[in-house]
Amino acid sequence: MTGETKDIEFFVNDSVYVQVVSLALQEFSDLIPAKGRNVNVHQQEGKLTADIHVYGYYGDNLCVLARTVQEHVAAALQEMADPQTLEVHVTVDDVVLKEQS
């Protein structure tokens, strides 16, 4: 053994990142209806992009919802993936009454 370290090459499938985002979103079950979540994550040349579509509850501040989701998901992906570049896009697609969720 020469004491040299070698770079380890590996690939993480996009579906793993989708799972990370989905698990992070579960922490917001009181803010996001379960039926109102759609996640797509893709990576290209060191850039990780997450597109998240959620429903909100009628009466809640949708801007706060989107920003909270964006920050929480970005932190989870940064911690687990450490991408060179990270983009997290959140779209609120609809609102529902809390009784309908």
Side-chain angles (χ1 to χ4, degrees):
M1 188 170 223
T2 63
E4 295 178 22
T5 59
K6 295 182 180 181
D7 289 334
I8 298 172
E9 293 187 32
F10 66 95
F11 182 79
V12 177
N13 196 310
D14 290 349
S15 65
V16 173
Y17 294 125
V18 169
Q19 183 67 9
V20 169
V21 172
S22 296
L23 290 171
L25 289 176
Q26 284 182 1
E27 296 179 28
F28 293 101
S29 60
D30 58 331
L31 296 177
I32 305 170
K35 69 176 184 177
R37 301 175 189 173
N38 184 14
V39 176
N40 184 8
V41 181
H42 59 278
Q43 53 189 320
Q44 184 176 358
E45 298 175 11
K47 178 180 180 180
L48 189 61
T49 303
D51 293 308
I52 304 163
H53 292 257
V54 297
Y55 286 7
Y57 286 117
Y58 176 78
D60 288 354
N61 186 317
L62 300 178
C63 183
V64 170
L65 170 66
R67 185 171 307 275
T68 301
V69 168
Q70 184 180 44
E71 290 172 354
H72 188 72
V73 166
L77 287 171
Q78 192 67 44
E79 180 180 327
M80 295 194 72
D82 195 24
Q84 294 173 3
T85 305
L86 174 62
E87 291 184 9
V88 178
H89 306 142
V90 178
T91 302
V92 180
D93 287 328
D94 202 354
V95 292
V96 298
L97 295 174
K98 289 194 180 196
E99 298 85 43
Q100 293 178 342
S101 58

